[in-house]
Amino acid sequence: SAVISQKPSRDICQRGTSLTIQCQVDSQVTMMFWYRQQPGQSLTLIATANQGSEATYESGFVIDKFPISRPNLTFSTLTVSNMSPEDSSIYLCSGAMMDNYGYTFGSGTRLTVV
Amino acid sequence: GNSVTQMEGPVTLSEEAFLTINCTYTATGYPSLFWYVQYPGEGLQLLLKATKADDKGSNKGFEATYRKETTSFHLEKGSVQVSDSAVYFCALSWNNYQLIWGAGTKLIIKP
């Protein structure tokens, strides 16, 4: 199965700044997703990253706050813009293979906004 | 719409006890079903999966059978270890590739 390298693994950021999280997959994946996970809770889908086109955002998430890029089938970035303490969370990327059976996750980025 | 319901945690067991974590789903058609595990401080790992009715997924002593008649995918293990302590997530996927997640069940195994 694919392996996803996600970085940074953690960061502490000042409010009002932006952080870009990168995910690199070691093979081509059909779909890539970005999730947020609050401590002790389940995953909330932020958006589906579409190769070569704008991401598809879930309700409650907007492109101005969470711009996403996916220039090719193995790489995606998520930017958390104009951060506030409420953005403190774990952010996870995921890749799905063509056969719909192989979902792989990055190791996550633990973000703390102070 | 599609949804996943799993038993609330935490579930606390003694080492070598039998484990069941219930998971039921609501979906149109025939989704694929998954169990993911998240160890403390780590990312998500696929534990096992099943892609059609009556399939049994298994890994590391864990098993789950895709039961369409009861729309269930319960996770079981015959003898748990302290190292199994983690959060377990049940999930399903449909033809849009998105995963629908359960709320997660924290498992605590005491020596």
Side-chain angles (χ1 to χ4, degrees):
Chain A
S1 59
V3 175
I4 299 181
S5 299
Q6 181 174 344
K7 59 181 181 182
S9 58
R10 59 178 63 235
D11 207 342
I12 301 173
C13 300
Q14 297 291 323
R15 68 175 67 203
T17 63
S18 297
L19 176 71
T20 295
I21 303 167
Q22 299 182 0
C23 276
Q24 177 73 55
V25 193
D26 67 350
S27 59
Q28 292 185 351
V29 290
T30 308
M31 310 284 280
M32 292 186 76
F33 305 96
W34 287 96
Y35 290 90
R36 185 167 69 183
Q37 185 183 25
Q38 303 287 7
Q41 297 188 21
S42 189
L43 283 73
T44 300
L45 181 64
I46 297 172
T48 302
N50 302 309
Q51 190 260 329
S53 63
E54 192 172 287
T56 304
Y57 290 86
E58 298 300 304
S59 176
F61 298 96
V62 295
I63 187 171
D64 289 346
K65 176 67 176 177
F66 297 101
I68 288 170
S69 77
R70 191 179 175 198
N72 55 54
L73 292 176
T74 63
F75 185 78
S76 180
T77 67
L78 167 76
T79 299
V80 186
S81 302
N82 188 25
M83 289 183 284
S84 66
E86 291 71 34
D87 295 320
S88 297
S89 188
I90 298 170
Y91 292 85
L92 292 152
C93 65
S94 174
M97 303 301 287
M98 288 284 292
D99 60 8
N100 204 27
Y101 305 152
Y103 291 83
T104 305
F105 284 82
S107 55
T109 297
R110 186 179 294 272
L111 171 63
T112 303
V113 183
V114 298
Chain B
N2 299 331
S3 66
V4 175
T5 302
Q6 60 182 106
M7 65 190 293
E8 286 190 29
V11 173
T12 304
L13 296 171
S14 297
E15 208 166 18
E16 300 183 2
F18 185 88
L19 168 71
T20 299
I21 300 178
N22 290 336
C23 172
T24 57
Y25 67 91
T26 302
T28 53
Y30 300 90
S32 297
L33 300 173
F34 305 85
W35 278 100
Y36 280 85
V37 58
Q38 188 174 37
Y39 297 102
E42 298 186 16
L44 285 154
Q45 301 175 28
L46 176 65
L47 181 60
L48 53 84
K49 63 178 184 248
T51 58
K52 60 183 186 296
D54 299 326
D55 267 4
K56 178 185 285 187
S58 60
N59 186 25
K60 299 181 180 179
F62 290 90
E63 293 183 341
T65 301
Y66 189 145
R67 301 285 189 200
K68 183 159 178 63
E69 63 277 13
T70 54
T71 62
S72 65
F73 193 55
H74 304 322
L75 182 68
E76 297 181 335
K77 186 174 184 182
S79 177
V80 292
Q81 306 300 313
V82 172
S83 57
D84 294 326
S85 299
V87 180
Y88 292 81
F89 292 93
C90 185
L92 70 82
S93 72
W94 190 217
N95 57 3
N96 63 356
Y97 292 94
Q98 286 188 15
L99 280 167
I100 308 297
W101 295 90
T105 302
K106 185 173 184 178
L107 176 64
I108 300 169
I109 307 300
K110 295 187 174 181

